[in-house]
Amino acid sequence: ARHTMISDFDEAHLQSLVSSLGTRQRFPEHPTSGYVKDPQSRETLQDLLRFLRHDTTRERPIMMLLHTWDVVGNDILPMIHAYHSGAAELILDAVKLLVFLTLPADPRSMNLNE
């Protein structure tokens, strides 16, 4: 379903931010994949946090899009796992975003069943 209450421009900007957090990469020397953050990932996390702070309508379109795109599973958790030591400010912002995205839904929210 198209998330109303967000302009096409804002959705494109949000998608651009999400895609610039980092990427999962396979490393030949390891059997699992790793996460490589973008050089600007901390600023990107801060921009996403700003978007969420302004996401105050009952529909919560920003939060719904970030959940639809599985930002927690695709970026935030892998980033925390990969950079949990040595990048305290990055991890703090990642955890802030994680907290925002895992807060209980407002019972009055129109998207409660999604």
Side-chain angles (χ1 to χ4, degrees), residues 39-114:
Q40 300 297 315
S41 59
R42 182 154 186 251
E43 291 81 1
T44 301
L45 287 169
Q46 292 170 347
D47 288 343
L48 290 171
L49 286 164
R50 267 191 288 286
F51 259 101
L52 283 167
R53 281 189 201 102
H54 292 68
D55 191 30
T56 57
T57 64
R58 287 182 55 214
E59 295 84 8
R60 304 295 309 268
I62 304 298
M63 181 179 280
M64 294 304 296
L65 282 170
L66 294 176
H67 279 292
T68 299
W69 299 334
D70 193 19
V71 172
V72 170
N74 291 329
D75 292 287
I76 304 305
L77 292 177
M79 182 184 291
I80 291 170
H81 179 74
Y83 295 95
H84 65 276
S85 60
E89 293 168 341
L90 174 77
I91 297 307
L92 179 61
D93 288 335
V95 169
K96 286 178 185 177
L97 186 59
L98 183 63
V99 168
F100 258 109
L101 293 173
T102 58
L103 286 172
D106 182 333
R108 297 167 295 170
S109 174
M110 296 178 68
N111 295 317
L112 191 58
N113 295 326
E114 289 186 30

Side-chain angles (χ1 to χ4, degrees), residues 28-40:
E29 63 275 8
H30 297 292
T32 60
S33 62
Y35 190 84
V36 178
K37 68 180 181 65
D38 184 85
Q40 300 297 315

